[in-house]
Amino acid sequence: MNSSPHASPDNGPAVTRAEFDALFERVRSWGRWSPEEADRGAWNLVTPGHARRAAALVRTGTTVPMGLPWNTVSGPDNGRPALHYMSDLGDVEAPEPSCHKDFIAADYHGKGVSHLDALSHIAYRGRLFDGRTARDVVDAGGARFGAVSALGPLVTKGVLLDLPAVLGTDWLEPGQAVHAGDVLTAEKALGVSIGHGDAVLLRSGHFRRRAALGAWNPDTASAGFHVDAMPLLAEREIALLGADGDSDVRPSPVAGLHSPVHALAITAMGVPLLDNLDLEKLSGACAQAGRYEFLLVVTPLNIPGGTGSPVNPVAVL
């Protein structure tokens, strides 16, 4: 069943490119780290102390994965299906034991695969984070700056902004924007405080809506952050931003710019993004535990030159 998302004006207010460029300059953190550290961006904020404090949040040991199942089926939200096939069925003549093997691949920067966006993924006006000229450092061989291999594993405090739980709804409708005021309201309602080096995960109820009403094209309409939320998150010095969509509200409120939150987070602030997380189980686990902060572990694949990686992040309560 394919459901047409509810057309909503709630993605506004509209933002001009001039206003967006001024906002970009306001949150920009270029030059904050040394050239050797810059391709880790805001992940430089996370220290061993952050990992120790996050580990202290573990009480029950409940472990919640957030990665979507490997999706090989084409649909309105999976235009480039992942690949999975058997490459060895154990029927080749060879000494015992027989062996079964398979092959996987994915064009993962889409809507069907849970993945991490590295700093080489997004350029604005031809420049990557820290002012690197994209065409100078990204070519057919991959990225020589801001590659996912520079990031490594992240262990820090995660904060779930469960907006449907705060609002008493099943989900946010596609096209509904989350503003700075909504973030502050959610902090108060959920008893959390976003701080230095934290990972912020936004639940809109995307996959609950998909299960109830069917798939739609999130490139056309999705709930997510309005650009006016980004100065608050920059002020709090977050290290990672993620969502059950891709963090951007769509339609975009910025004329001529499809993914403005991507540009602000990745390119201006140096904050990697987690896209397409299944946050439904985490929502239930947090509600049961009565708390919305937890130990978060993100381990991207070590892909030299990669602009990101498929991931299965894990929250531990």
Side-chain angles (χ1 to χ4, degrees):
M1 173 183 178
N2 294 335
S3 174
S4 298
H6 174 63
S8 171
D10 293 342
N11 68 321
V15 176
T16 68
R17 283 296 285 275
E19 291 170 330
F20 177 83
D21 286 345
L23 184 57
F24 188 97
E25 291 301 312
R26 179 180 171 187
V27 302
R28 184 165 64 93
S29 63
W30 296 3
R32 179 171 183 176
W33 293 285
S34 70
E36 294 75 26
E37 298 170 321
D39 55 2
R40 286 176 53 83
W43 278 27
N44 285 298
L45 298 171
V46 180
T47 66
H50 286 84
R52 289 194 301 271
R53 288 188 291 274
L57 296 172
V58 177
R59 298 174 190 171
T60 65
T62 301
T63 302
V64 186
M66 290 171 264
L68 294 173
W70 200 249
N71 193 346
T72 61
V73 180
S74 180
D77 55 354
N78 194 25
R80 301 187 298 274
L83 301 178
H84 177 221
Y85 61 80
M86 298 303 296
S87 57
D88 189 342
L89 293 176
D91 52 3
V92 178
E93 290 185 11
E96 292 283 6
S98 60
C99 184
H100 304 93
K101 303 176 184 177
D102 53 355
F103 171 90
I104 60 171
D107 189 355
Y108 58 87
H109 282 301
K111 308 302 180 185
V113 177
S114 300
H115 66 269
L116 176 72
D117 291 339
L119 300 190
S120 55
H121 176 51
I122 297 291
Y124 182 60
R125 299 196 182 279
R127 294 189 179 275
L128 299 173
F129 175 69
D130 219 42
R132 305 298 179 98
T133 301
R135 65 180 58 182
D136 289 345
V137 294
V138 182
D139 56 28
R144 294 183 299 281
F145 172 82
V148 72
S149 53
L151 294 176
L154 180 75
V155 180
T156 193
K157 184 183 87 176
V159 175
L160 179 65
L161 296 180
D162 195 337
L163 264 294
V166 171
L167 299 174
T169 61
D170 290 336
W171 55 70
L172 305 186
E173 283 294 337
Q176 185 170 342
V178 175
H179 301 275
D182 298 314
V183 174
L184 295 173
T185 297
E187 282 187 304
K188 184 175 181 180
L190 301 173
V192 297
S193 179
I194 297 167
H196 177 278
D198 288 352
V200 176
L201 307 180
L202 171 65
R203 176 179 175 259
S204 71
H206 178 105
F207 289 102
R208 183 168 180 178
R209 186 185 193 278
R210 188 184 189 276
L213 301 179
W216 71 95
N217 182 2
D219 276 329
T220 302
S222 60
F225 287 107
H226 190 276
V227 295
D228 67 13
M230 299 309 289
L232 173 63
L233 298 177
E235 178 184 313
R236 300 294 185 88
E237 295 193 314
I238 66 170
L240 178 65
L241 186 63
D244 50 9
D246 67 0
S247 294
D248 266 287
V249 66
R250 292 198 177 82
S252 167
V254 184
L257 195 56
H258 182 255
S259 301
V261 167
H262 275 63
L264 293 175
I266 295 175
T267 314
M269 297 163 54
V271 172
L273 294 183
L274 285 171
D275 294 348
N276 313 321
L277 302 179
D278 185 348
L279 299 177
E280 296 308 299
K281 289 182 180 178
L282 181 58
S283 173
C286 286
Q288 182 174 6
R291 53 195 175 94
Y292 287 79
E293 57 183 19
F294 40 82
L295 170 70
L296 177 70
V297 180
V298 183
T299 54
L301 298 176
N302 187 359
I303 306 172
T307 63
S309 169
V311 288
N312 184 19
V314 174
V316 187
L317 285 81

